[in-house]
Amino acid sequence: MSSGGAEPAQAEGQGGADSPGDPGGGPTVRELHGPPVWQSSRPGSIYDYIRVASFSLGPDGRIEQWSERAEQMLGIPARYALGKDPVEAFVPRELRETGHRKVSEILDGREWTGLVPYRREATGRADGLAEIYVMPSRNEDGERAAVCLVVDVRALRGIETDLAASQAVFGQSPIGFTLFGTDLKLLRVNERFASVFGGPASKYRGCGPHDFLPRSEAERMTAALRRVLETGEPVAEMQLVGLPSGDEDHRRWSVSLYRLHGASGRPIGVAALAADVTGRRRAEREAANARRNLALLNEAGARIGNSLDLETTARTLLDVAVPQFCDLASVDLYQGLLSGDEAPPGMSDGSAELRRVAFASAVSDAPLATSGDLGTAPGPVAVGAVHRYPFNSPCAGALRTAQAQIIPARESDEGPELGAVVHSTLAVPMVARDTVVGLVQFSRTKGSEPFGERDTALAVELAARAAVCIDNARLYRREHERALILQRSLLPPGDPEAAGLDIACRYLPGTTATEVGGDWFDVIELPGHRTALVVGDVMGRGLRAAVAMGELRTAVRTLALLDLEPAEVLSALDEVARGLGGDGDGRSTARSARGRSTSAEDDPEKGRSARTADLSEVYLATCVYAVYDPVTRRCTFANAGHLPPVLVEDGEDALLLDVPPGMPLGVGGEPFEEIEVELPDGALLALYTDGLVESRHHPLDEGLRAFRTALSGADRPLEDACDHVLNALDTGHGEDDIALLMARVHGLPKDAVGDWNLAPEPRSVARARELARDQLTDWGLQDLVDTTELLVSELVTNALRHGHGEIRLRLLLDRSLVCEVWDADLAQPRRRRARDTDEGGRGLQLVGLLSEGWGSRRTPRGKTVWFELALPDGESTVADPTEALLSLF
């Protein structure tokens, strides 16, 4: 009879949990060369779980023996139990009569099993329920006694509940549930595990990991089981890949392992929970791909389109795609569209010429042919090369249909290396505003996943975003080129020339987006080797201001050719500016603008907005107009609201000329004044716009001081002085256009001027011819003597015939020969066509035939008629006066 120790072990071969040789196994009965030998068992058997105790009753019905397990389970020490009546000691009072009757029956030799409440203390109610199995016995004297086995009903019912729950969990679990023994063999598997790998659950009992997993995975599983069994540390979510029987697709499981212990704490095996995560893994991969695609689109949206350069935009697209989306890629654009054609021939069927503008690769530094390039050229298409796709090629089909196409790799004589490198290519047309502008190819090499539907959708989105940006860049380039053509046509040549002046000029647009604006400068040659210098600024920026500037510049040139005084030119230009308003009535518009500006003085904010609208309506502009005479070395200035010119004399500081500012062009109603300034040889004259000296970072006064400082001591070459000024000042603010016109003065030398006064009498004609002949001979221009004599004779004769007062003759030699004849008559000469019967009227026709140009201008006391002759260059021949005379008849 046990007294709380271990129960006898099972015999060998009777289904023990542990093998005989397992060092962690329980007690066994070994078959030796004699009778079986009983070994002591380690704690942890089923009896420990159900808590079985024992005691015995003597012939008198009192307790004779009391086991230690009974003491532990019932909580009654042996000294309180031995020798006592169990009914009186442990059974409640109301049940004692029944208890005495049952004890008497037991001592009479009857077995009995039943539930008996008991109490732990003598005075107390029942706090326990025990199932007692009473077996009659006899002592050594032959007297009847009894042996009693006591089981705690609560513990028994708990074990039954735990077993039922364990069976329900094990059998009904939606995940695979297995139990490995200490020998790493399966003791039990549930139906879910069996359904995954096929066959009944009993098939896997006694199997190891190698029986249902691939070798590599089985070795990982075995190592993990051994580690958990030895260390007790669990393993969570170990990923295993296997191929269930009858299934063609590999499955992925997430396995968690933990060690199981008996009641005594000894390891009895390892439990494994295996969940099929194939779908979850696929969903995670798709989610990761979706996140990658969203990140790629986000990066594309942030980076593509930041530049208005075609090549830069194409390269940015490839920088985003390689290597995040593909291994190599290229961008082809229609050559005709790049050249400015709206629809190049062959664009609709995909056979038009394309130019490769960008290529990127993560596998090779050199260009590598893709699947779509096969048949286009003997080798890979280089960046910048122009090529065509064959009509039947997939790339041409993508261009023709505007639909993306997946091109699998194939071995080819033209590209034998292609099949060894690229295995999947996406040809995606670039569509912007319903127009295909080019093709982008994305390729993946072997080792990467081939393109699928999601990849195609992403590629189409990337290409569409880039296509719009590239088309914008193309349109910008076209408009930019047109704007540049307009701007260059409105500005003078890069190296203007003038008699008695060295000229240097600079123009910087306020915005690099269009490179056009409202600032302008001009150098206009006037009769008598005089030069008009003009700098102006139309208020506003962009193309609209440039157009207004062009109209004003054209008007200035037209007025300058009339040889008007500077103040008269600005007055006429003011009328032109007032006529540029949108309502067609410049005069009334300007007056209303002036009136509204005055009435807004009481409300500054209202006045400011009104002035802004009115100024843009009437095209206000500022302008300074100067005429320099290299003979007299005097310059006449007139100003229309512009910044004053700056003069730098040799060895002196820069000086702002005190030119009356006047009102801006377009305001009207105010006369313009002019002043005359003598410019010594070597002096530097600078005309400029406010963008050079004013910005939000520094006020106008500070900018003017910096400008004068940069000009002072400017004894360097004129072009270098121009660059020095731009480098010294803040010219990169981008707020306004900048125009700078600089001229260094060196007047005509005295020996290059012939000036005579002639009496108003007929013999002055011969005197004029003689003077002209002698002067040209001194200058070494014998080739021009005959022509000059003839034309001088005509002009002096006209002065005598149609004019009055003293006559003045002047010859000027510079880059050409100029002859001027003054008289006191205000009537301007007019050329007419003489009839065959007329005896006169052919003089001015002859002047027009033999000279490079001729004209007349008013003077304060009359008029001046002039003509110009080109100097002999040794190559061209001088016109024959005789032939010119005969051509008039």
Side-chain angles (χ1 to χ4, degrees):
M1 184 65 63
S2 172
S3 61
E7 296 298 329
Q10 295 176 341
E12 183 180 8
Q14 299 299 316
D18 301 317
S19 61
D22 185 11
T28 60
V29 178
R30 300 186 179 182
E31 294 293 336
L32 302 176
H33 296 287
V37 177
W38 294 91
Q39 296 183 160
S40 63
S41 171
R42 291 184 181 184
S45 68
I46 188 64
Y47 299 105
D48 293 324
Y49 287 102
I50 62 176
R51 302 182 67 186
V52 178
S54 64
F55 64 90
S56 63
L57 299 178
D60 57 356
R62 295 183 179 274
I63 299 174
E64 286 187 344
Q65 293 182 341
W66 189 259
S67 67
E68 293 181 1
R69 179 68 66 86
E71 183 177 342
Q72 296 171 2
M73 186 178 72
L74 301 178
I76 301 175
R79 63 179 179 273
Y80 294 117
L82 293 175
K84 291 188 178 181
D85 184 348
V87 176
E88 295 291 336
F90 309 124
V91 177
R93 184 181 306 275
E94 62 273 11
L95 299 176
R96 287 177 181 175
E97 182 179 353
T98 304
H100 284 298
R101 187 170 60 253
K102 293 297 181 182
V103 171
S104 299
E105 293 175 356
I106 291 170
L107 293 178
D108 287 341
R110 295 182 60 183
E111 292 185 358
W112 180 81
T113 301
L115 296 176
V116 177
Y118 67 90
R119 49 189 172 82
R120 292 179 178 269
E121 297 179 2
T123 59
R125 299 191 313 180
D127 57 0
L129 185 64
E131 184 176 75
I132 301 180
Y133 177 40
V134 181
M135 296 172 289
S137 64
R138 293 181 183 274
N139 60 14
E140 58 185 6
D141 297 331
E143 295 176 327
R144 288 191 175 275
V147 176
C148 302
L149 296 180
V150 182
V151 178
D152 188 343
V153 174
R154 293 179 180 175
L156 185 62
R157 296 295 178 266
I159 290 175
E160 291 175 352
T161 302
D162 290 344
L163 288 176
S166 175
Q167 179 62 27
V169 171
F170 195 88
Q172 302 173 19
S173 174
I175 62 176
F177 199 169
T178 64
L179 178 62
F180 289 89
T182 54
D183 58 353
L184 307 186
K185 300 294 184 181
L186 283 171
L187 297 178
R188 189 175 180 185
V189 300
N190 67 349
E191 293 298 331
R192 175 59 180 165
F193 179 90
S195 64
V196 170
F197 288 94
S202 59
K203 169 185 175 182
Y204 295 96
R205 292 178 182 175
C207 296
H210 288 83
D211 296 319
F212 55 88
L213 287 175
R215 181 176 178 180
S216 59
E217 299 295 270
E219 291 176 354
R220 290 180 57 224
M221 182 71 171
T222 300
L225 287 170
R226 186 174 289 111
R227 185 169 62 253
V228 171
L229 190 62
E230 292 175 356
T231 65
E233 296 180 359
V235 172
E237 297 186 357
M238 180 177 65
Q239 301 291 317
L240 295 175
V241 178
L243 187 64
S245 59
D247 199 341
E248 297 181 355
D249 297 329
H250 284 80
R251 310 290 293 178
R252 182 181 293 271
W253 296 278
S254 175
V255 179
S256 297
L257 306 175
Y258 59 94
R259 190 170 68 181
L260 296 178
H261 302 83
S264 61
R266 68 182 180 91
I268 61 174
V270 178
L273 298 175
D276 189 343
V277 294
T278 306
R280 186 178 72 185
R281 179 69 174 178
R282 186 181 298 111
E284 291 175 353
R285 186 166 58 249
E286 291 180 356
N289 290 338
R291 287 192 297 270
R292 182 202 65 181
N293 294 347
L294 289 176
L296 200 62
L297 289 176
N298 182 61
E299 183 181 3
R303 296 179 58 185
I304 297 176
N306 292 333
S307 171
L308 286 175
D309 180 74
L310 284 168
E311 289 75 9
T312 301
T313 303
R315 285 194 300 268
T316 303
L317 168 63
L318 301 192
D319 290 342
V320 171
V322 179
Q324 293 91 334
F325 178 68
C326 61
D327 299 313
L328 61 154
S330 62
V331 176
D332 299 322
L333 299 178
Y334 277 118
Q335 177 69 6
L337 293 178
L338 296 178
S339 303
D341 298 338
E342 292 298 329
M347 193 173 79
S348 59
D349 58 14
S351 62
E353 288 185 339
L354 297 108
R355 177 159 62 91
R356 180 145 297 178
V357 296
F359 174 82
S361 173
V363 297
S364 173
D365 294 333
L368 182 67
T370 60
S371 300
D373 288 341
L374 295 179
T376 61
V381 179
V383 175
V386 178
H387 64 99
R388 298 174 186 267
Y389 289 112
F391 181 80
N392 295 327
S393 66
C395 289
L399 290 169
R400 187 166 52 251
T401 62
Q403 299 294 325
Q405 296 194 18
I406 298 179
I407 309 173
R410 60 183 179 89
E411 296 291 347
S412 169
D413 294 338
E414 293 87 352
E417 79 286 351
L418 187 59
V421 178
V422 177
H423 76 99
S424 183
T425 297
L426 260 176
V428 185
M430 307 182 74
V431 183
R433 302 174 181 90
D434 297 328
T435 301
V436 178
V437 299
L439 182 78
V440 57
Q441 293 187 61
F442 303 102
S443 297
R444 288 179 178 174
T445 58
K446 290 189 174 179
S448 302
E449 293 184 2
F451 290 111
E453 292 183 2
R454 291 181 180 271
D455 296 320
T456 303
L458 177 61
V460 169
E461 180 65 23
L462 288 175
R465 294 191 180 195
V468 172
C469 297
I470 286 178
D471 194 50
N472 288 339
R474 178 184 67 86
L475 295 176
Y476 162 75
R477 174 178 291 185
R478 185 184 66 184
E479 297 303 321
H480 181 250
E481 290 175 353
R482 294 177 179 177
L484 286 181
I485 292 173
L486 172 64
Q487 183 74 26
R488 290 164 184 164
S489 67
L490 297 178
L491 294 177
D495 298 317
E497 296 181 353
L501 294 174
D502 291 332
I503 304 293
C505 51
R506 296 289 187 273
Y507 175 81
L508 299 178
T511 170
T512 58
T514 59
E515 296 192 11
V516 295
D519 291 11
W520 91 92
F521 61 91
D522 208 346
V523 179
I524 307 171
E525 292 187 69
L526 299 177
H529 285 316
R530 293 172 304 135
T531 302
L533 303 177
V534 188
V535 168
D537 182 4
V538 176
M539 294 185 183
R541 298 171 62 183
L543 195 58
R544 182 179 180 184
V547 171
M549 174 268 286
E551 294 179 328
L552 292 178
R553 177 176 178 267
T554 303
V556 170
R557 279 190 160 267
T558 303
L559 295 170
L561 293 178
L562 296 177
D563 211 354
L564 302 176
E565 296 297 326
E568 294 177 342
V569 170
L570 292 186
S571 295
L573 194 61
D574 178 63
E575 293 291 335
V576 173
R578 291 161 62 192
L580 295 180
D583 61 356
D585 185 5
R587 188 182 306 271
S588 61
T589 302
R591 280 199 295 266
S592 62
R594 214 166 40 247
R596 285 194 296 268
S597 177
T598 303
S599 63
E601 292 179 355
D602 297 334
D603 189 347
E605 291 297 327
K606 181 179 179 181
R608 186 178 299 111
S609 61
R611 284 194 299 273
T612 302
D614 293 335
L615 294 182
S616 62
E617 186 181 22
V618 298
Y619 291 93
L620 289 184
T622 63
C623 179
V624 60
Y625 185 89
V627 176
Y628 172 68
D629 188 342
V631 179
T632 63
R633 292 175 173 79
R634 300 186 70 82
C635 188
T636 304
F637 295 92
N639 191 357
H642 203 80
L643 294 174
V646 177
L647 178 64
V648 185
E649 297 187 17
D650 190 17
E652 301 291 337
D653 292 335
L655 175 67
L656 288 174
L657 295 180
D658 188 14
V659 179
M663 297 296 291
L665 300 176
V667 174
E670 298 293 335
F672 295 97
E673 301 180 31
E674 60 185 39
I675 64 168
E676 193 173 57
V677 179
E678 185 172 352
L679 304 181
D681 283 352
L684 182 66
L685 180 66
L687 306 179
Y688 54 95
T689 57
D690 57 357
L692 180 66
V693 295
E694 184 180 22
S695 74
R696 69 181 67 179
H697 304 294
H698 54 76
L700 177 61
D701 292 343
E702 181 181 336
L704 287 174
R705 284 196 298 270
F707 182 40
R708 293 169 58 191
T709 302
L711 285 175
S712 297
D715 54 353
R716 64 195 74 189
L718 194 57
E719 292 290 339
D720 295 342
C722 230
D723 294 334
H724 172 70
V725 169
L726 295 181
N727 292 331
L729 301 180
D730 178 21
T731 59
H733 51 75
E735 298 173 12
D736 198 3
D737 307 322
I738 295 174
L740 175 63
L741 178 62
M742 297 176 64
R744 195 181 299 279
V745 177
H746 53 83
L748 289 180
K750 292 183 178 180
D751 58 2
V753 179
D755 195 350
W756 306 274
N757 291 324
L758 301 175
E761 54 189 26
R763 63 180 180 176
S764 295
V765 177
R767 177 60 179 165
R769 288 198 299 266
E770 180 184 355
L771 293 172
R773 182 189 313 111
D774 293 342
Q775 186 64 66
L776 266 61
T777 301
D778 291 342
W779 287 340
L781 300 176
Q782 287 82 359
D783 293 342
L784 298 180
V785 169
D786 293 342
T787 302
T788 304
E789 278 190 272
L790 178 60
L791 299 184
V792 166
S793 176
E794 282 293 331
L795 295 187
V796 174
T797 300
N798 286 342
L800 288 172
R801 180 176 299 175
H802 303 289
H804 57 85
E806 190 178 38
I807 300 173
R808 181 183 178 188
L809 171 65
R810 188 169 72 170
L811 296 179
L812 306 176
L813 177 63
D814 191 66
R815 291 176 294 118
S816 62
L817 176 66
V818 174
C819 176
E820 298 175 328
V821 175
W822 276 267
D823 63 57
D825 186 60
L826 295 177
Q828 298 295 314
R830 181 175 61 87
R831 188 173 65 172
R832 64 185 180 87
R833 183 174 298 277
R835 295 188 296 269
D836 294 341
T837 58
D838 291 342
E839 296 182 359
R842 297 179 178 87
L844 293 181
Q845 286 184 266
L846 185 63
V847 174
L849 285 174
L850 295 178
S851 66
E852 291 291 320
W854 75 277
S856 67
R857 67 178 185 273
R858 289 180 300 170
T859 63
R861 291 177 295 181
K863 69 175 182 296
T864 300
V865 183
W866 59 270
F867 68 84
E868 182 177 3
L869 296 178
L871 300 180
D873 56 5
E875 297 180 0
S876 59
T877 59
V878 180
D880 187 0
T882 303
E883 293 183 1
L885 283 170
L886 293 176
S887 68
L888 297 178
F889 297 94

